[in-house]
Amino acid sequence: MWERAGQTFERTLGDYFRERLDGCADALEPRPEEDTLWYVGATLARLGDSRQLFSYEEGQLRLRPLALLYKDAHEASADHERCLILRQLGDQALFIGALFPELYARKGFQQDYFVGMGGGAYDYLADNAASHRHVFAELAERFSSFLDLISQACARRGSNHVEDVLALYRQWCATGDEQLADQLVMMGISLDGNEQVH
């Protein structure tokens, strides 16, 4: 929580990411639309929850490969289902392509793979989604730039590196430790009614 002119504000994990993205967005020309920055910040917060990123398959939590998500979308019988799967594909490509490029590069996946998969998914959504078409259009057109923006926004700066914040948040969710809660609050993260990250 923080105060400005007698008003009290609470910051969620999504707010934290949007603030970081907003601080780096001026480096892009043209500057990304506010709706798109909001969407990306919310996506980072949502996928920070392992229940949203991983799926339960064959008795284990696994990260479904982008190629299999593409196959699922191709085989979907209804357009609504196809859009849901492609949104998951685009969001996942954006998240892992920006935050874990070295891990996937060791497996032979370069940035162009994430750009092709994620950009293609968002391109379809720009024409077919029920809402946020302008957001998906910008993400499709500038996918590579958004990978760089997310990477820069989440780069280590003192003790507030995104991975550190998520790890601290997960630990607090698992233990309820008051000292961890105090550390998160000092970073400006609201713990009241906040989406849980596991």
Side-chain angles (χ1 to χ4, degrees), residues 59-79:
Q60 296 181 353
L61 276 178
R62 295 184 180 183
L63 186 60
R64 189 148 177 83
L66 299 179
L68 291 182
L69 286 172
Y70 178 81
K71 177 182 176 285
D72 294 345
H74 182 71
E75 294 174 352
S77 56
D79 193 53

Side-chain angles (χ1 to χ4, degrees), residues 25-170:
D26 290 333
L28 291 181
E29 187 59 44
R31 190 179 198 284
E33 295 293 325
E34 291 302 316
D35 288 351
T36 308
L37 291 174
W38 183 91
Y39 179 86
V40 172
T43 298
L44 293 173
R46 181 174 49 83
L47 294 181
D49 181 343
S50 62
R51 296 170 300 178
Q52 299 292 323
L53 182 62
F54 295 95
S55 57
Y56 192 75
E57 295 178 18
E58 300 173 11
Q60 296 181 353
L61 276 178
R62 295 184 180 183
L63 186 60
R64 189 148 177 83
L66 299 179
L68 291 182
L69 286 172
Y70 178 81
K71 177 182 176 285
D72 294 345
H74 182 71
E75 294 174 352
S77 56
D79 193 53
H80 175 71
E81 179 185 3
R82 182 173 297 109
C83 284
L84 286 174
I85 296 168
L86 287 174
R87 181 175 173 180
Q88 180 183 357
L89 190 161
D91 292 353
Q92 188 172 309
L94 194 63
F95 184 82
I96 61 178
L99 298 178
F100 307 103
E102 297 87 7
L103 174 67
Y104 285 88
R106 288 194 297 268
K107 296 178 180 184
F109 297 100
Q110 301 302 318
Q111 187 181 48
D112 60 345
Y113 174 73
F114 296 103
V115 171
M117 294 297 274
Y122 286 140
D123 188 51
Y124 182 88
L125 293 169
D127 293 332
N128 297 283
S131 62
H132 298 93
R133 287 184 177 192
H134 65 291
V135 169
F136 297 130
E138 184 172 19
L139 288 170
E141 184 179 325
R142 303 176 68 191
F143 195 90
S144 181
S145 295
F146 275 96
L147 288 177
D148 294 340
L149 174 64
I150 293 166
S151 180
Q152 181 183 0
C154 295
R156 186 173 297 276
R157 288 184 192 151
S159 62
N160 286 349
H161 184 267
V162 65
E163 293 172 8
D164 297 338
V165 173
L166 287 173
L168 188 64
Y169 195 84
R170 287 185 189 114

